[in-house]
Amino acid sequence: MNYNRIIFLSLVFCYIATVVVAQNNRIDSLLSLVNNTESTENINLLNQIAVAYNDIDDLDQSKKYSYRAFESSKKSQYDEGIIQAYNNLASISIQQRKPSEAINYSIQAIELAEIIEKNNLKAKALRNLSSASFAVGEKDSALVKLNEALQIYSNLNDSLNIGMVYSEMGEAYTYLNNSPQMVTSYLNALEIFKKLQNEKRVAITHLNLGSVYSNFLGEYRKAIEHADAALKIYNNLGDEVKTTYCYLIIGSAYEYLGNLDKALEFYNKSLVICRRTDNKYMLANTENYIGEAYNKQHKIKLALESYNKSLNIYLELGDEEGIAVAENNIGECYYKLGDLNKALSHYTRSFEYFDKRGEKFQLSELVFNIGNVYYERKNYNSAINSYRRSIKYAKETNNLESLKDSYKAISNAYRKLEKPERALDYLEMYIEKKDSLINVKNLEMIAEYEAKYEASEKAKEIELLKKEQELSEINVQLQTILNVSLIAVTLLLIATVIIYYRKYKQKNELNQRLAESEIHLQKLNFTKDKFFSIIAHDLRGPLGTLSGLTEILDEDAEEMDKESIIGLSKDIHQISKNTITLLNNLLTWASIQIGKIEISKENFEIKDIVDEVHELLRENLNKKNITFTNEIEKNIAVYADKNMVSSVIRNLIHNAIKFTNESGNVTTYTDSSNGITSISVQDNGVGIPEDNMEKLFEIGNKVSTYGTANESGAGLGLILSKEFIDKNSGTIVVKSDVNKGTTFTINLPNTKKEQ
């Protein structure tokens, strides 16, 4: 029975997550600055002192100063101080195992932080709420809170806290036994801490990954690699206490690999440090690990000696769970040595603790051990009673291994009592449960391999992204306007080939629909031809011009005056800017065709979107002295992808400005009926000739004209707009009179349609 592994793992995560550091000097320094005023500076000091006491586990003092900060903040109406105090009290409640109290404090902190728009304090409260939610079993809700906190820190560009949240996610997924997400979260945290050059956090994350790879994925070589990486950092920092954790993880990995001598080597390194630093808790854990290794080597007396040392330290510390684990391990040794009285005595003491805690999983194995003692004493009736209790606990906790062993043990006991029918009944139950367990283990093995594969692939993906980012940074430094254009053209061609290939592949996969596939391929070829014609027409021209201008600069720059060079530079810049805009639109169009752009629909108000676009295009309006009127009222909403709709409205208003004369008017208004909201952009500009109306939304018939102030454009904006509206289950229509104006109207559902 290997309880010490479970206990050590949970305590390591707890210890690593908080990173407790002795702060007595810091507390003394802060206390010397405190006064009896209710100034914001003094309140902040009180909250800092509360945090410092929390870090050294003096929760009573931490609570005392949190309450002082809270009362002073209320009197001075200092909301930020109140939120910080709530967060401190929530953290204390979590450590005191009062999750309901922590949830209450966290919710109050979140509500107040939202009112005063203090997102950093809200994020801290969300993290506390997540921890408390986990404690009450609301695991899905807890992860939602962590993701919300992560989003806030991302918006604030707070890299350190982003890394901290990823670490907390790793811990959360540990309790959910989700190995791939564990590894992903910790690898994300590791990447951030490395960029920040935060050695302590890097080392802690390596330790967490070492524990995950050893205890969950069984990848002991990787566990050793991460623990060794942490060990090197802690050696450089001179942190002996943390090195003991590294030694235990490395030793444990070697133990699982079957190299018990190597495991004992690292356990003894930990032992030396624990004795020198008088770290009694870690000393007790290390002695337990050493006892486990000796037990596996069948050196029972040496194992018993280490377990007894561990027990004595746990007794001194008053650590009941550690005492119970050591008592069980000692009982196991006496059982193997044949001293059944002592074995029963130690098993019974361990049972009393776990019975008090109601930990039925451990109880099922303990009463099984007690049954074995009675069996060896030939007291078969008492043995059967113990085995039946083991079965009861095993069924309640789905402990299939214990259930199987108990059935077999009862069968053996009935055979000794010469009751063959009863023995046969339980033997059949044993065989059935054994077969069932084999199936479960096979499924677990498959799941474990899948988890290992996913974790490995995620690690490769992160490493690949890292290398791509480094390469991108190098390219940015080397790129010129010309090679950006050339690269963009290459990407565009690749996108076209991808479209062609995907459609062609689909044709081959649907041979039974040959006729339909041929039609589809014809459409694809037609689109491709139109696509290339746009590239040939709209890219070859500006790129040729760009090449000519740069050739002039190359050959005649020394003879040209400053004004000529400046003029040429402006021309080059404008041509490049227009070309890149066209490329971006073409690539966006290609992305839509191959399904690369994802849609995220939600309900949102249109007025806010139009107001934002108005602000964005205010300079364009002012240049032409155009009056803009937004007649859209509040609470007019649609159900669509907000970013796509914003892009469409921005394009329509931009076009309205472009084709409206100076001192003209642009107006936006809405109409709603039958679950559809219509959003219109109206101008009194030059209008659109009738023969151009049908060409507006087709890529092969792209219409690109200059505005009333000779504004240029790529001509793909309306094509993209139609694609976006189609993707959101809407329509776009246009009405226009030459020299009178144009009205574009988009129609979108205002609520989510029932499936």
Side-chain angles (χ1 to χ4, degrees), residues 55 58 100 112 117 127 130 140 175 210 247 268 284 315 339 354 380 398 418 460 478 554 597 600 609 653 716 729 734:
D55 285 344
D58 191 339
S100 297
L112 186 53
E117 298 182 347
R127 290 161 65 186
S130 173
D140 292 336
Y175 296 121
Y247 288 139
N268 282 312
L315 286 168
D339 193 335
F354 287 119
Y380 301 121
N398 199 31
E418 298 181 353
K460 289 178 183 177
L478 300 176
D554 182 45
I597 294 181
S600 178
I609 297 294
I653 294 177
L716 284 174
S729 306
V734 56

mmCIF file of all heavy atoms in Angstrom, residues 55 58 100 112 117 127 130 140 175 210 247 268 284 315 339 354 380 398 418 460 478 554 597 600 609 653 716 729 734:
data_model
loop_
_atom_site.group_PDB
_atom_site.id
_atom_site.type_symbol
_atom_site.label_atom_id
_atom_site.label_comp_id
_atom_site.label_asym_id
_atom_site.label_seq_id
_atom_site.Cartn_x
_atom_site.Cartn_y
_atom_site.Cartn_z
ATOM 1 N N ASP A 55 2.261 34.276 4.015
ATOM 2 C CA ASP A 55 3.374 33.558 3.393
ATOM 3 C C ASP A 55 4.148 32.692 4.387
ATOM 4 O O ASP A 55 4.773 31.705 3.991
ATOM 5 C CB ASP A 55 4.336 34.542 2.723
ATOM 6 C CG ASP A 55 3.776 35.091 1.427
ATOM 7 O OD1 ASP A 55 2.818 34.500 0.903
ATOM 8 O OD2 ASP A 55 4.282 36.109 0.942
ATOM 9 N N ASP A 58 1.290 32.154 9.244
ATOM 10 C CA ASP A 58 0.723 32.688 10.484
ATOM 11 C C ASP A 58 -0.641 33.285 10.125
ATOM 12 O O ASP A 58 -0.794 34.499 9.955
ATOM 13 C CB ASP A 58 1.650 33.755 11.076
ATOM 14 C CG ASP A 58 1.240 34.140 12.506
ATOM 15 O OD1 ASP A 58 0.070 33.896 12.871
ATOM 16 O OD2 ASP A 58 2.094 34.670 13.241
ATOM 17 N N SER A 100 -16.562 27.642 1.655
ATOM 18 C CA SER A 100 -17.779 28.456 1.526
ATOM 19 C C SER A 100 -17.497 29.908 1.919
ATOM 20 O O SER A 100 -17.963 30.852 1.260
ATOM 21 C CB SER A 100 -18.888 27.880 2.410
ATOM 22 O OG SER A 100 -19.231 26.576 1.987
ATOM 23 N N LEU A 112 -17.174 44.215 -6.395
ATOM 24 C CA LEU A 112 -16.670 45.569 -6.159
ATOM 25 C C LEU A 112 -15.610 45.936 -7.191
ATOM 26 O O LEU A 112 -15.556 47.083 -7.667
ATOM 27 C CB LEU A 112 -16.099 45.667 -4.739
ATOM 28 C CG LEU A 112 -15.657 47.073 -4.279
ATOM 29 C CD1 LEU A 112 -16.780 48.083 -4.463
ATOM 30 C CD2 LEU A 112 -15.219 47.032 -2.815
ATOM 31 N N GLU A 117 -13.791 48.982 -11.773
ATOM 32 C CA GLU A 117 -12.994 48.600 -12.944
ATOM 33 C C GLU A 117 -11.532 48.351 -12.599
ATOM 34 O O GLU A 117 -10.618 48.856 -13.256
ATOM 35 C CB GLU A 117 -13.115 49.665 -14.039
ATOM 36 C CG GLU A 117 -14.552 49.829 -14.552
ATOM 37 C CD GLU A 117 -14.654 50.851 -15.674
ATOM 38 O OE1 GLU A 117 -13.680 51.597 -15.886
ATOM 39 O OE2 GLU A 117 -15.712 50.900 -16.319
ATOM 40 N N ARG A 127 -9.133 33.843 -9.089
ATOM 41 C CA ARG A 127 -8.235 32.721 -8.765
ATOM 42 C C ARG A 127 -8.587 32.123 -7.408
ATOM 43 O O ARG A 127 -8.586 30.899 -7.227
ATOM 44 C CB ARG A 127 -6.784 33.192 -8.799
ATOM 45 C CG ARG A 127 -6.296 33.495 -10.208
ATOM 46 C CD ARG A 127 -5.069 34.363 -10.239
ATOM 47 N NE ARG A 127 -3.920 33.695 -9.645
ATOM 48 C CZ ARG A 127 -2.741 34.297 -9.454
ATOM 49 N NH1 ARG A 127 -2.586 35.572 -9.816
ATOM 50 N NH2 ARG A 127 -1.731 33.635 -8.917
ATOM 51 N N SER A 130 -11.716 30.149 -7.804
ATOM 52 C CA SER A 130 -11.436 28.868 -8.449
ATOM 53 C C SER A 130 -10.967 27.835 -7.434
ATOM 54 O O SER A 130 -11.460 26.708 -7.405
ATOM 55 C CB SER A 130 -10.372 29.049 -9.538
ATOM 56 O OG SER A 130 -9.979 27.799 -10.049
ATOM 57 N N ASP A 140 -15.687 22.101 -12.861
ATOM 58 C CA ASP A 140 -15.849 22.779 -14.151
ATOM 59 C C ASP A 140 -15.918 24.287 -13.963
ATOM 60 O O ASP A 140 -15.307 25.054 -14.709
ATOM 61 C CB ASP A 140 -17.104 22.282 -14.862
ATOM 62 C CG ASP A 140 -16.967 20.823 -15.295
ATOM 63 O OD1 ASP A 140 -15.826 20.368 -15.458
ATOM 64 O OD2 ASP A 140 -17.995 20.141 -15.435
ATOM 65 N N TYR A 175 -5.741 17.413 -10.177
ATOM 66 C CA TYR A 175 -6.831 16.834 -9.393
ATOM 67 C C TYR A 175 -7.908 16.224 -10.281
ATOM 68 O O TYR A 175 -8.666 15.356 -9.843
ATOM 69 C CB TYR A 175 -7.430 17.895 -8.468
ATOM 70 C CG TYR A 175 -6.440 18.394 -7.442
ATOM 71 C CD1 TYR A 175 -6.095 19.739 -7.384
ATOM 72 C CD2 TYR A 175 -5.834 17.509 -6.561
ATOM 73 C CE1 TYR A 175 -5.172 20.194 -6.459
ATOM 74 C CE2 TYR A 175 -4.910 17.963 -5.637
ATOM 75 C CZ TYR A 175 -4.582 19.304 -5.584
ATOM 76 O OH TYR A 175 -3.656 19.740 -4.671
ATOM 77 N N GLY A 210 8.123 17.337 -13.447
ATOM 78 C CA GLY A 210 8.740 16.091 -13.006
ATOM 79 C C GLY A 210 7.748 15.201 -12.292
ATOM 80 O O GLY A 210 7.690 13.984 -12.527
ATOM 81 N N TYR A 247 15.655 15.710 -5.396
ATOM 82 C CA TYR A 247 16.233 14.392 -5.144
ATOM 83 C C TYR A 247 15.140 13.326 -4.988
ATOM 84 O O TYR A 247 15.280 12.196 -5.463
ATOM 85 C CB TYR A 247 17.106 14.417 -3.888
ATOM 86 C CG TYR A 247 18.411 15.156 -4.064
ATOM 87 C CD1 TYR A 247 18.908 15.989 -3.055
ATOM 88 C CD2 TYR A 247 19.158 15.028 -5.229
ATOM 89 C CE1 TYR A 247 20.104 16.675 -3.210
ATOM 90 C CE2 TYR A 247 20.356 15.714 -5.392
ATOM 91 C CZ TYR A 247 20.824 16.535 -4.383
ATOM 92 O OH TYR A 247 22.004 17.200 -4.530
ATOM 93 N N ASN A 268 19.129 9.250 -0.122
ATOM 94 C CA ASN A 268 20.107 9.539 0.932
ATOM 95 C C ASN A 268 20.688 10.949 0.795
ATOM 96 O O ASN A 268 21.021 11.580 1.798
ATOM 97 C CB ASN A 268 21.225 8.497 0.910
ATOM 98 C CG ASN A 268 20.793 7.191 1.562
ATOM 99 O OD1 ASN A 268 20.238 7.190 2.663
ATOM 100 N ND2 ASN A 268 21.011 6.065 0.885
ATOM 101 N N ALA A 284 10.850 13.209 7.477
ATOM 102 C CA ALA A 284 9.902 12.105 7.652
ATOM 103 C C ALA A 284 9.505 11.508 6.309
ATOM 104 O O ALA A 284 9.450 10.281 6.139
ATOM 105 C CB ALA A 284 8.664 12.600 8.396
ATOM 106 N N LEU A 315 5.012 11.715 14.672
ATOM 107 C CA LEU A 315 4.448 11.840 16.022
ATOM 108 C C LEU A 315 4.871 13.155 16.649
ATOM 109 O O LEU A 315 4.074 13.849 17.295
ATOM 110 C CB LEU A 315 4.901 10.661 16.889
ATOM 111 C CG LEU A 315 4.228 9.307 16.594
ATOM 112 C CD1 LEU A 315 4.967 8.176 17.292
ATOM 113 C CD2 LEU A 315 2.761 9.331 17.030
ATOM 114 N N ASP A 339 5.577 -11.552 12.531
ATOM 115 C CA ASP A 339 5.153 -11.089 13.860
ATOM 116 C C ASP A 339 3.726 -10.549 13.718
ATOM 117 O O ASP A 339 3.497 -9.344 13.561
ATOM 118 C CB ASP A 339 6.098 -10.004 14.374
ATOM 119 C CG ASP A 339 5.895 -9.714 15.860
ATOM 120 O OD1 ASP A 339 4.779 -9.973 16.360
ATOM 121 O OD2 ASP A 339 6.847 -9.230 16.500
ATOM 122 N N PHE A 354 -7.839 6.448 9.500
ATOM 123 C CA PHE A 354 -8.569 6.555 8.239
ATOM 124 C C PHE A 354 -10.071 6.390 8.443
ATOM 125 O O PHE A 354 -10.871 6.963 7.704
ATOM 126 C CB PHE A 354 -8.052 5.521 7.243
ATOM 127 C CG PHE A 354 -6.698 5.861 6.682
ATOM 128 C CD1 PHE A 354 -5.614 5.014 6.882
ATOM 129 C CD2 PHE A 354 -6.501 7.027 5.971
ATOM 130 C CE1 PHE A 354 -4.368 5.324 6.372
ATOM 131 C CE2 PHE A 354 -5.256 7.354 5.450
ATOM 132 C CZ PHE A 354 -4.183 6.496 5.659
ATOM 133 N N TYR A 380 -10.246 -18.240 10.583
ATOM 134 C CA TYR A 380 -10.809 -17.996 9.261
ATOM 135 C C TYR A 380 -12.122 -17.222 9.292
ATOM 136 O O TYR A 380 -12.415 -16.445 8.377
ATOM 137 C CB TYR A 380 -10.995 -19.334 8.532
ATOM 138 C CG TYR A 380 -9.685 -20.078 8.374
ATOM 139 C CD1 TYR A 380 -9.509 -21.360 8.912
ATOM 140 C CD2 TYR A 380 -8.621 -19.494 7.699
ATOM 141 C CE1 TYR A 380 -8.303 -22.041 8.772
ATOM 142 C CE2 TYR A 380 -7.410 -20.166 7.554
ATOM 143 C CZ TYR A 380 -7.249 -21.427 8.101
ATOM 144 O OH TYR A 380 -6.057 -22.079 7.968
ATOM 145 N N ASN A 398 -15.167 1.942 -5.665
ATOM 146 C CA ASN A 398 -14.808 1.349 -6.955
ATOM 147 C C ASN A 398 -13.343 0.915 -6.987
ATOM 148 O O ASN A 398 -12.661 1.037 -8.005
ATOM 149 C CB ASN A 398 -15.092 2.331 -8.109
ATOM 150 C CG ASN A 398 -15.172 1.617 -9.447
ATOM 151 O OD1 ASN A 398 -15.575 0.465 -9.533
ATOM 152 N ND2 ASN A 398 -14.774 2.299 -10.498
ATOM 153 N N GLU A 418 -13.544 -25.883 4.866
ATOM 154 C CA GLU A 418 -14.164 -27.036 4.210
ATOM 155 C C GLU A 418 -15.625 -26.766 3.835
ATOM 156 O O GLU A 418 -16.527 -27.561 4.085
ATOM 157 C CB GLU A 418 -14.050 -28.296 5.088
ATOM 158 C CG GLU A 418 -12.611 -28.718 5.344
ATOM 159 C CD GLU A 418 -12.501 -29.974 6.180
ATOM 160 O OE1 GLU A 418 -13.542 -30.444 6.672
ATOM 161 O OE2 GLU A 418 -11.377 -30.484 6.330
ATOM 162 N N LYS A 460 5.832 19.295 -28.587
ATOM 163 C CA LYS A 460 6.454 19.559 -29.878
ATOM 164 C C LYS A 460 5.868 20.810 -30.506
ATOM 165 O O LYS A 460 6.577 21.613 -31.118
ATOM 166 C CB LYS A 460 6.230 18.364 -30.803
ATOM 167 C CG LYS A 460 7.026 17.124 -30.410
ATOM 168 C CD LYS A 460 6.710 15.968 -31.355
ATOM 169 C CE LYS A 460 7.430 14.698 -30.939
ATOM 170 N NZ LYS A 460 7.069 13.554 -31.809
ATOM 171 N N LEU A 478 15.032 41.714 -41.412
ATOM 172 C CA LEU A 478 15.682 41.650 -42.724
ATOM 173 C C LEU A 478 14.782 42.060 -43.884
ATOM 174 O O LEU A 478 15.240 42.336 -44.985
ATOM 175 C CB LEU A 478 16.192 40.209 -42.965
ATOM 176 C CG LEU A 478 17.219 39.684 -41.959
ATOM 177 C CD1 LEU A 478 17.553 38.232 -42.263
ATOM 178 C CD2 LEU A 478 18.487 40.524 -41.987
ATOM 179 N N ASP A 554 18.008 53.353 -57.168
ATOM 180 C CA ASP A 554 19.276 52.626 -57.170
ATOM 181 C C ASP A 554 20.299 53.285 -58.095
ATOM 182 O O ASP A 554 21.485 53.388 -57.762
ATOM 183 C CB ASP A 554 19.006 51.180 -57.590
ATOM 184 C CG ASP A 554 20.268 50.341 -57.563
ATOM 185 O OD1 ASP A 554 21.018 50.440 -56.573
ATOM 186 O OD2 ASP A 554 20.502 49.580 -58.524
ATOM 187 N N ILE A 597 -11.292 30.736 -41.254
ATOM 188 C CA ILE A 597 -11.788 31.763 -40.334
ATOM 189 C C ILE A 597 -12.951 31.180 -39.531
ATOM 190 O O ILE A 597 -13.954 30.753 -40.085
ATOM 191 C CB ILE A 597 -12.235 33.030 -41.104
ATOM 192 C CG1 ILE A 597 -11.017 33.690 -41.767
ATOM 193 C CG2 ILE A 597 -12.947 33.995 -40.176
ATOM 194 C CD1 ILE A 597 -11.332 34.956 -42.523
ATOM 195 N N SER A 600 -17.610 33.139 -34.263
ATOM 196 C CA SER A 600 -18.026 33.093 -32.856
ATOM 197 C C SER A 600 -19.201 34.051 -32.673
ATOM 198 O O SER A 600 -19.025 35.256 -32.522
ATOM 199 C CB SER A 600 -16.858 33.485 -31.938
ATOM 200 O OG SER A 600 -17.269 33.475 -30.594
ATOM 201 N N ILE A 609 -21.089 49.465 -32.035
ATOM 202 C CA ILE A 609 -20.195 49.171 -33.162
ATOM 203 C C ILE A 609 -20.075 50.390 -34.074
ATOM 204 O O ILE A 609 -18.974 50.787 -34.473
ATOM 205 C CB ILE A 609 -20.713 47.958 -33.960
ATOM 206 C CG1 ILE A 609 -20.723 46.695 -33.090
ATOM 207 C CG2 ILE A 609 -19.881 47.741 -35.217
ATOM 208 C CD1 ILE A 609 -19.366 46.226 -32.687
ATOM 209 N N ILE A 653 -19.147 52.174 -44.292
ATOM 210 C CA ILE A 653 -19.041 53.607 -43.962
ATOM 211 C C ILE A 653 -17.834 54.216 -44.664
ATOM 212 O O ILE A 653 -17.876 55.348 -45.158
ATOM 213 C CB ILE A 653 -18.962 53.787 -42.435
ATOM 214 C CG1 ILE A 653 -20.285 53.343 -41.791
ATOM 215 C CG2 ILE A 653 -18.654 55.230 -42.076
ATOM 216 C CD1 ILE A 653 -20.295 53.408 -40.280
ATOM 217 N N LEU A 716 -11.880 44.943 -53.109
ATOM 218 C CA LEU A 716 -12.342 43.645 -52.601
ATOM 219 C C LEU A 716 -13.169 43.776 -51.326
ATOM 220 O O LEU A 716 -13.631 42.775 -50.793
ATOM 221 C CB LEU A 716 -11.133 42.732 -52.323
ATOM 222 C CG LEU A 716 -10.473 42.110 -53.549
ATOM 223 C CD1 LEU A 716 -9.221 41.366 -53.133
ATOM 224 C CD2 LEU A 716 -11.421 41.159 -54.245
ATOM 225 N N SER A 729 -25.472 34.010 -41.630
ATOM 226 C CA SER A 729 -26.884 33.750 -41.960
ATOM 227 C C SER A 729 -27.641 35.032 -42.306
ATOM 228 O O SER A 729 -28.821 35.177 -41.989
ATOM 229 C CB SER A 729 -27.580 33.030 -40.797
ATOM 230 O OG SER A 729 -26.890 31.862 -40.428
ATOM 231 N N VAL A 734 -28.139 46.429 -52.020
ATOM 232 C CA VAL A 734 -27.743 47.803 -52.316
ATOM 233 C C VAL A 734 -28.795 48.458 -53.213
ATOM 234 O O VAL A 734 -29.349 47.828 -54.109
ATOM 235 C CB VAL A 734 -26.347 47.823 -52.981
ATOM 236 C CG1 VAL A 734 -26.312 46.969 -54.236
ATOM 237 C CG2 VAL A 734 -25.918 49.248 -53.293
#
